């Protein structure tokens, strides 16, 4: 029987069937070939190309499994980011849309056995926010794209700048009012009854005397002004001679702006703090007991939230998340590294420790802020240098 024509109904139905999804049990992940029925899958398994692929996989099975796992993770997260963004969505909805693509990587070729295990792994690695409900697992993508983070920081900085401008203007008006009221005593009006000595006397009101009254008031003010200045000088001299403490010098506008900038610098914080060459302490209990409360040195930082650390006592290398680590505060006089805030990345010398406020005082000895003394730095924002 000859081969059917290209435009024949049988050929068209064959092409339509080959485009759609087939049964998973007739799919070979190693060869990435989808068979239509059991007979075709059996013939494929007996072919030489399939046998060669199995021999290659037998030499390094872990390498192939890691490759397929990475492909599955990358494609799944890319679909979640493009299709749903940062919205909270059921994990099965995302998975059904992912497997609708004919060339997807099947989960039975990865290191995760079920979709729930993969969802839990995403939560542990900090790639998504996951929560379990009676309806199942829900996931929410965490966008850590540098451009997105930079755009959010710019919006937050602009919002804070607008608020600071309003506060600065309100504070300036308040200071001007206070300066205007200094040295003046508010005269309270005295109200008296309207009494007439003579019953036949008429009561009259002069409404056109505003100009003359204001002129008299201005002349009176001009006469009293030198006397008030002279009295103020005498009072200040008397206070100086009697040994009374001087009034605190008022801050200039430049000093106030510098203080506001300092507060902004302290308020600029990130949710990651890991830095290479610092000493940390392992606080997680999920590892063996010998690693709990042990000190380690950060050798490498991966994706800002994960670090490869080397245990000081045993020399073992571990890959841990920042939630499994905490900073180490040395004795005064030792070198430390600032991990968060506006002075992030600068080295310094630990001057003192305030145990009541859980903070330290540091003198910076590197960078543009060299020689500056910074107080009230929290424990988690500083760590000992290796």
């Amino acid at each position: 029987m000859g081969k059917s024509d290209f435009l024949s109904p049988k050929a068209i139905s064959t092409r339509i069937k080959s485009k759609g999804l087939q049964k998973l049990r007739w799919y070979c992940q190693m060869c990435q070939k989808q068979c239509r029925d059991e007979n075709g899958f059996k013939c494929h398994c007996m072919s030489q190309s399939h046998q060669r692929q199995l021999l290659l996989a037998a030499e390094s099975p872990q390498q192939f499994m890691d490759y397929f796992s990475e492909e599955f993770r990358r494609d799944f997260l890319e679909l979640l980011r493009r299709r749903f963004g940062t919205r909270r969505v059921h994990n099965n909805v995302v998975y059904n849309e992912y497997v609708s693509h004919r060339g997807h990587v099947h989960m039975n070729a990865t290191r995760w056995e079920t979709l729930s295990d993969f969802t839990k792994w995403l939560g542990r690695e900090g790639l998504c926010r996951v929560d379990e409900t009676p309806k199942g697992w829900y996931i929410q993508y965490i966008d850590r794209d540098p451009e997105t983070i930079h755009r959010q920081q710019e919006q937050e900085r602009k919002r804070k700048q607008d608020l600071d401008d309003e506060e600065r203007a309100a504070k300036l008006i308040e200071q001007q009012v206070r300066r205007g009221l200094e040295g003046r005593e508010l005269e309270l009006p005295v109200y008296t009854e309207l009494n007439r000595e003579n019953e036949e006397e008429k009561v009259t009101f002069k409404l056109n005397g505003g100009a003359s009254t204001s002129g008299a008031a201005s002349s009176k003010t001009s006469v009293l002004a030198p006397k008030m200045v002279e009295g103020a000088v005498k009072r200040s001299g008397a206070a100086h001679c009697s040994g009374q403490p001087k009034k605190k010098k008022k801050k200039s506008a430049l000093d106030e702006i510098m203080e506001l900038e300092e507060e902004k610098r302290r308020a600029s914080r990130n949710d990651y703090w890991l830095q290479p060459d610092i000493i940390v302490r392992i606080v997680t209990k999920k590892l063996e007991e010998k690693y709990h409360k042990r000190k380690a040195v950060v050798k490498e930082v991966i994706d800002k939230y994960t670090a490869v650390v080397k245990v000081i006592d045993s020399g073992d290398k571990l890959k841990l998340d920042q939630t499994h680590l905490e900073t180490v505060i040395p004795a005064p006089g030792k070198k430390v590294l600032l991990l968060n805030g506006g002075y992030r990345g600068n080295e310094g010398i630990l001057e003192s420790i305030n145990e009541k406020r859980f903070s330290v005082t540091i003198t910076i000895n590197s960078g543009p802020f060299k020689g500056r003394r910074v107080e009230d730095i929290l424990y988690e924002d500083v760590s000992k240098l290796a």
Side-chain angles (χ1 to χ4, degrees):
M1 183 176 179
K3 187 176 180 181
S4 58
D5 187 36
F6 180 76
L7 296 178
S8 64
K10 184 177 181 180
I12 293 174
S13 65
T14 303
R15 287 197 298 273
I16 293 175
K17 290 179 182 178
S18 63
K19 287 183 179 180
L21 291 174
Q22 305 293 328
K23 291 187 177 181
L24 180 60
R25 61 178 178 172
W26 296 333
Y27 181 80
C28 177
Q29 184 65 57
M30 285 299 303
C31 303
Q32 296 182 358
K33 180 175 177 59
Q34 176 70 63
C35 300
R36 292 175 54 191
D37 51 20
E38 185 178 359
N39 185 35
F41 186 71
K42 182 179 178 181
C43 294
H44 171 72
C45 292
M46 296 174 62
S47 63
Q48 294 183 0
S49 61
H50 179 74
Q51 297 296 328
R52 286 195 298 268
Q53 288 292 336
L54 291 183
L55 291 176
L56 289 175
E59 294 178 359
S60 56
Q62 189 63 35
Q63 181 179 357
F64 280 91
M65 182 175 291
D66 293 342
Y67 172 75
F68 290 134
S69 300
E70 180 63 23
E71 286 284 330
F72 180 82
R73 181 198 66 83
R74 187 177 66 250
D75 295 342
F76 189 90
L77 289 179
E78 181 65 19
L79 174 64
L80 179 62
R81 183 186 67 83
R82 288 187 293 100
R83 178 68 175 80
F84 301 97
T86 56
R87 289 185 290 134
R88 182 172 173 268
V89 63
H90 200 285
N91 61 349
N92 211 21
V93 174
V94 186
Y95 182 72
N96 288 336
E97 189 162 345
Y98 171 74
V99 298
S100 62
H101 179 60
R102 186 168 179 269
H104 73 276
V105 178
H106 294 275
M107 185 173 284
N108 59 357
T110 64
R111 56 177 174 170
W112 302 288
E113 296 181 358
T114 61
L115 181 60
S116 298
D117 294 340
F118 177 65
T119 304
K120 295 176 185 178
W121 181 84
L122 290 177
R124 288 195 301 269
E125 294 294 321
L127 299 174
C128 297
R129 296 186 183 92
V130 301
D131 58 313
E132 187 178 9
T133 63
K135 295 184 179 179
W137 287 90
Y138 282 83
I139 58 178
Q140 185 178 3
Y141 181 71
I142 300 176
D143 193 356
R144 291 200 176 101
D145 185 42
E147 295 183 359
T148 305
I149 295 175
H150 180 69
R151 184 167 60 253
Q152 293 176 354
Q153 290 177 352
E154 286 293 327
Q155 293 176 356
E156 185 68 18
R157 184 184 62 81
K158 185 177 180 182
R159 186 181 66 82
K160 288 183 177 180
Q161 185 177 0
D162 294 340
L163 292 177
D164 293 341
D165 292 341
E166 294 178 1
E167 293 176 359
R168 193 181 299 115
K171 194 176 292 184
L172 182 60
I173 293 173
E174 184 180 354
Q175 290 179 356
Q176 291 177 351
V177 172
R178 192 183 302 115
R179 290 171 185 172
L181 294 177
E182 284 181 356
R184 292 187 182 180
E185 295 182 358
L186 295 177
E187 297 180 358
L188 297 177
V190 179
Y191 301 98
T192 59
E193 296 182 1
L194 182 60
N195 297 324
R196 291 185 296 178
E197 297 179 359
N198 188 4
E199 293 294 335
E200 297 180 357
E201 184 180 356
K202 293 182 179 180
V203 179
T204 58
F205 297 95
K206 295 181 179 181
L207 301 178
N208 57 352
S212 60
T213 306
S214 61
S218 61
S219 61
K220 185 183 291 186
T221 305
S222 61
V223 173
L224 292 178
K227 294 183 179 181
M228 291 175 63
V229 173
E230 185 178 356
V233 172
K234 288 182 179 180
R235 285 196 299 270
S236 61
H240 181 70
C241 296
S242 60
Q244 293 181 358
K246 293 182 178 180
K247 291 185 179 180
K248 193 173 182 180
K249 186 178 180 181
K250 295 180 181 178
K251 296 179 182 178
S252 63
L254 181 60
D255 295 338
E256 293 177 359
I257 293 174
M258 291 178 65
E259 287 185 359
L260 290 174
E261 292 295 332
E262 186 74 17
E263 292 177 0
K264 285 183 183 179
R265 189 177 292 110
R266 289 188 178 184
S268 60
R269 298 177 58 82
N270 298 319
D271 58 347
Y272 56 89
W273 54 269
L274 290 173
Q275 293 284 347
D277 301 329
I278 61 172
I279 297 178
V280 294
R281 182 179 287 106
I282 303 173
V283 295
T284 180
K285 295 183 180 179
K286 296 181 180 179
L287 301 176
E288 299 180 12
E289 187 66 26
K290 64 178 182 179
Y291 295 126
H292 186 55
K293 294 295 183 181
R294 297 292 181 182
K295 293 183 180 180
V297 180
V298 177
K299 293 296 183 182
E300 183 183 357
V301 179
I302 304 172
D303 296 335
K304 299 181 182 179
Y305 298 90
T306 309
V308 177
V309 300
K310 181 178 181 182
V311 183
I312 296 178
D313 296 339
S314 60
D316 298 338
K317 288 188 176 181
L318 305 172
K319 183 179 179 182
L320 299 173
D321 190 78
Q322 69 174 8
T323 56
H324 300 156
L325 304 170
E326 69 176 8
T327 58
V328 175
I329 305 299
K334 299 292 184 178
K335 284 187 176 182
V336 294
L337 183 67
L338 292 164
L339 307 177
N340 217 329
Y343 303 105
R344 176 185 175 93
N346 292 316
E347 297 180 6
I349 303 297
L350 182 63
E351 297 293 340
S352 62
I353 301 175
N354 190 345
E355 297 181 355
K356 293 183 179 180
R357 303 183 63 178
F358 302 101
S359 62
V360 295
T361 301
I362 293 174
T363 300
I364 301 176
N365 60 357
S366 66
F369 306 105
K370 185 175 181 180
R372 178 173 294 184
R373 181 185 176 91
V374 187
E375 300 179 353
D376 293 335
I377 299 179
L378 301 178
Y379 284 171
E380 57 265 24
D381 292 346
V382 64
S383 188
K384 181 180 179 182
L385 273 172

